[in-house]
Amino acid sequence: MSTKQFDVVVIGGGPGGYIAAIRAAQLGFNTACIDEWKNSAGGPAPGGTCTNVGCIPSKALLQSSEHFEHARLHFADHGISTGEVGMDVAKMLGRKDGVVKQNNDGILYLFKKNKVSFFHGRGSFVAAKDGGYELKAGEESITAKHVIIATGSNARALPGLAFDEELVLSNDGALRIPATPKKLGVIGSGVIGLELGSVWRRLGAEVVVLEAMPNFLPTVDEGVAKEAAKLFKKQGLAIELGVKIGEVKTSKKGVVVNYTDAKGGEQKLECDRLIVSIGRVSNTIGLNAEAVGLKLDGRGAIEVDADCKTNLPNVWAVGDVVRGPMLAHKAEEEGVAVAERIAGQHGHVDFDIIPSVIYTSPEIAQVGKTEQQLKAEGRGYKAGQFPFLANGRARALGDTSGFVKILADATTDEILGVHIIGPMASELIAEATMAMAFKASSEDIARICHAHPSLSESTKEAALAVDKRTLNF
Ligand SMILES: Cc1cc2nc3c(=O)[nH]c(=O)nc-3n(C[C@H](O)[C@H](O)[C@H](O)COP(=O)(O)OP(=O)(O)OC[C@H]3O[C@@H](n4cnc5c(N)ncnc54)[C@H](O)[C@@H]3O)c2cc1C
């Protein structure tokens, strides 16, 4: 069999990889993408962590559990009577699997549409050859002039406590718990722990989150983190900060976590299941990086420069497998930029304005600098804040928690950061990101006509608040 030759081969079909492959094909390169993820029937399931066990299924379950909570607690406010509201967990999980499959199939369709050759199996380096690379794609041998590595990341386990996905769960197991646990332990109060903890709390589990850091959500603006801690506590999500995890024992009865609390007291958490969400580790397993001398950094991520170039000629790496925030849209932006650089264009990612969202209720979204970062940098800034409590649309929605906060340069008024906690923060942050991309001032947003009644009026009002001239508060 003759060896297939490609201009660009992408290893990994998550958001970094599949988007890079599509963009490379659009630019006229003969492109292949290799991805090894299998669905439950053993078939291809491109989309990576994001589609299979990350962004998409978590949002499907967050939506189902939010509907359940609304039906149980809030429908009556609208005059809707339902009788007793039940939850069929198997059906909810089935719907989630259906959403995942739609996304998997969508990517396979996009590969066809863009003439990207797809290989289902493991991709690995064999050798550098003739200025390019010889690779294995599943059982096949192929060659590439350029290689883009997008092999993602895996959940980090606690030392000595492997994931069994029955009692000790990574994000994978946490997204398919077959029945609502009575008591659920979560180690780690980052985005994943909070989102998955929220799903099962809304369905009726008592959820206890143990966090090693002394501060709640340290990378979020302090004002927002404080508001979030207050609201989550009110919802019944127990979060203990500053703990030190000791021995964790599993038995038929469940899991016992021994830990030391912030005051140094010995404590014990007994739960039915335990989610461990203490971060993710870049994944280079199976790449055979040694065969070509691909350099990793001290954390096991592939070492790249600002342009995603590795130490090897014509080998690039994007997404979770390299430095930077582990976010799907960051991976996608890098994928596009690399394909364009290969084509001799000037692909660019602005790492200073990558939005990030926590899809709890209320949602938390931010872009740019936090107030504590600006203070640490000694940069002069003005802050404007507007509460959803004073927004007509939020009142009509029945969701008035949280606020929009805008931070602008004290002298130039350029927007330096926007922080939102409240309804649809994930959508509202787009305006702020666009404003920052165009180097807008808070005055620019203040002078733009926003539809009424809309949540986005809170962004305009927060911009007015920077200049102490809010109209509705
Ligand atoms: C529970 C959870 C929720 C999340 N929610 C969000 C969110 O709401 N928003 C957000 O932006 N981010 C979210 N993330 C993070 C997001 O999923 C990742 O940042 C994103 O998936 C990274 O994309 P990637 O392409 O770098 O890697 P991945 O998505 O991990 O994809 C890598 C792919 O490469 C394949 N692969 C690996 N090695 C090989 C090999 N040698 N050969 C062939 N294939 C290989 C893997 O099977 C996988 O399909 C979430 C993550 C989790 C776990």
Side-chain angles (χ1 to χ4, degrees), residues 21-66:
I22 289 172
R23 186 72 190 114
Q26 282 176 348
L27 289 162
F29 294 113
N30 179 17
T31 305
C33 181
I34 316 168
D35 187 81
E36 64 182 353
W37 205 293
K38 289 187 184 131
N39 61 25
S40 53
T49 302
C50 167
T51 301
N52 292 293
V53 291
C55 322
I56 301 299
S58 59
K59 268 79 247 177
L61 295 189
L62 279 159
Q63 191 60 55
S64 299
S65 60
E66 191 163 2

Side-chain angles (χ1 to χ4, degrees), residues 166-178:
E166 288 290 327
L167 293 173
V168 181
L169 313 171
S170 70
N171 53 298
D172 182 4
L175 287 161
R176 50 185 171 86
I177 302 176

